[in-house]
Each structure stands twice: as C-alpha cells, then as structure tokens.
Amino acid sequence: MSQNGHAQLLTPPPMSTTMIFGAGDLPSGHWFEMHEHPQHQIAWASRGVLAVQIGVGRWVLPPTRALWIPGGIAHRTGTSHGAAMRGIFVAPEHTPVAFTAPTLLRVGRLLHELFDHLASDDADAANDRPDARRDRGDAGPRRRAEAVVFDLLDPVEVVPVGAPMPTDPRALTVARALVRDPADDRALHQFAATAAASPRTLARLFLAETGMTFGQWRTQIRLAASLPLLAGGLPVTRIAERVGYGTSSAYVAAFHRMVGISPGRYFAR
C-alpha cells in the first residue's frame, strides 16, 4: 500500500524480522494482478470483504476470516465493494507454523486486535522504548505479540469454491450467462439455440474443458456467487433465491456437501 492509503501492490523487502505489515484501502472493484512472493502472506481486511483467487479457487474474506497463502503461490487479491486491507508477510525462516497449502483462518476478536496493533505505529514505538532495548533475555514487545499471533492461527477446514471457465465459444456462451445470473435455471437443451450447439455437445465441452459435469460446474458457480452475500450478512433464504436454489435447505445442503461445513459456520467467529 502507498503511504496515503491508496491501493498499490505491496512487495515486501528482504525480511530481518518475523512479520511485515502493510495497510491501506482498496477501492470498489480493485484487483491486483496475479503475482507471487517468496514470503508467506496472511491476507486479511479489517473492514469490508476481501477476495483471493488462486487457480480456480476463490476465498472470500470478511473481517472474521483470513487466508494463509504459502510463499511462491501465484494469487490475485481484490474486492467488489471496497476493503481496508492488511498485507501481512511472514518470513518462512522465522515461522513456527507450516501451512503448505492456502488455508482459511478464523479471526476472533483477539487476533483482530493483534493484527491492527502490529500494523500500527504503536508496536514499533513499543520496541523502541529504552526498556524494550535492554537485554532482558526475551524477544521484546513486538516479537512477543507476533508469537501470540502464531498461537492464535486456527484453520477452518473447508474446500475452496470455484470453477474454471470453458474456452470453446459455444460452452463459453452458456458459462458467461450463468456467471452473470447464477439463478438462471435453464437446462443445456434450452441454451442450444443461443450457443449454436446440441445439448450433448455442450455437456461434452463442459466436462472436457472444466473437468466437471455441467451440473457440478453450475453448483460451483452458484456457491461462489453466494459467498460475498454470505459475508455481507444476507439471510440464507434470500441468498438461496439470489443464486438459484428453490429453498434455503437445498442451498445449505449443496454448500455443506461441496465446502465441508454449513454456510452459517463458514464466516462465524
């Protein structure tokens, strides 16, 4: 982030400490380009909702959730409606945890406060006090706070949602229509004329180009569309309707089956 808080890709320098924090506001609709860095990153927003894209998987992060991104993993980060982002970079050689894959993390009140504290000038000022610089046989205020952060990292066991887009123009016509309106309940035979392909051809293209049947692909798109609504606190009954499920129980069942936990627990503290 830039000094004035505008969105700017934060590239951490070589690290001599455990954690480096950057802070700034992302405007609505802003996305960083795909990038990677050797440090681990904890992607988190103290306000608003952040999203992280890794491959075909997407994680949606309100303030109650963060994402551990291992060093060397290509990703892009952005927001639909604006967010106060924290860029938290962790030196691999100093970290006592070892999440080897992108991992969703719970952010309770204490971890939230620690992230805000470490991103502020207060943590550095505490380290610069004369009593903090004395050799007291411990790591100093900042390192002790960072150690508590590691103690509080609590993974949420979920499967990321998302699906790749097909590349064939015929299947892509169908895919784009459903991304625009996940509640569109047309079957493949109803897309045949628009896509200039038979239902059998469209089904074959989805399986060949996305690795999923059309039904599986549509479910992933619907669940991905539901995450920002869930993060925003919309009632499950309204979310179900917005993304194409006839009942809230059908949406909850699909979410639990594909993601591993219920929608209510996904973002709960």
Side-chain angles (χ1 to χ4, degrees):
M1 306 293 172
S2 64
Q3 292 295 321
N4 59 11
H6 295 308
Q8 176 179 317
L9 184 59
L10 177 62
T11 303
M15 297 175 65
S16 58
T17 60
T18 302
M19 292 183 176
I20 289 179
F21 282 72
D25 292 335
L26 298 186
S28 298
H30 183 87
W31 280 85
F32 294 118
E33 296 296 325
M34 190 70 73
H35 66 283
E36 61 183 72
H37 28 72
Q39 296 85 1
H40 306 312
Q41 182 181 359
I42 301 173
W44 178 67
S46 63
R47 174 180 49 77
V49 178
L50 202 62
V52 179
Q53 185 84 35
I54 301 175
V56 301
R58 176 174 289 204
W59 284 262
V60 175
L61 310 172
T64 58
R65 292 292 181 264
L67 184 69
W68 179 279
I69 306 170
I73 298 289
H75 60 281
R76 59 193 296 257
T77 305
T79 178
S80 296
H81 302 292
M85 182 182 177
R86 300 289 184 264
I88 307 166
F89 296 94
V90 183
E93 64 273 19
H94 295 313
T95 176
V97 301
F99 299 120
T100 58
T103 301
L104 191 68
L105 303 169
R106 289 182 180 85
V107 180
R109 291 180 178 84
L110 178 54
L111 189 56
H112 186 135
E113 293 298 327
L114 277 169
F115 281 160
D116 275 341
H117 169 67
L118 288 167
S120 72
D121 294 334
D122 296 340
D124 293 324
N127 253 13
D128 290 337
R129 293 198 313 263
D131 61 327
R133 294 196 299 267
R134 296 185 196 125
D135 181 9
R136 298 170 300 171
D138 62 24
R142 185 179 183 91
R143 283 293 180 88
R144 292 198 301 274
E146 291 172 351
V148 177
V149 167
F150 288 121
D151 286 341
L152 293 175
L153 296 183
D154 183 15
V156 182
E157 298 297 333
V158 299
V159 177
V161 298
M165 295 289 280
T167 57
D168 185 283
R170 295 165 292 181
L172 190 58
T173 296
V174 178
R176 284 174 172 164
L178 295 178
V179 169
R180 285 194 301 270
D181 180 14
D184 187 336
D185 64 355
R186 283 180 289 173
L188 281 180
H189 73 271
Q190 294 171 293
F191 281 105
T194 302
S198 70
R200 180 175 295 182
T201 296
L202 291 173
R204 176 180 56 79
L205 288 170
F206 268 92
L207 184 59
E209 297 196 347
T210 71
M212 305 177 187
T213 66
F214 173 69
Q216 292 168 335
W217 186 91
R218 193 209 296 262
T219 296
Q220 288 290 331
I221 292 302
R222 285 178 168 177
L223 295 183
S226 79
L227 286 180
L229 305 177
L230 195 61
L234 199 68
V236 168
T237 51
R238 292 183 60 192
I239 294 174
E241 180 183 348
R242 291 269 293 270
V243 299
Y245 288 94
T247 64
S248 58
S249 60
Y251 165 68
V252 170
F255 194 101
H256 195 286
R257 183 174 64 252
M258 301 302 296
V259 180
I261 62 175
S262 69
R265 289 181 55 205
Y266 194 93
F267 290 133
R269 282 192 186 275

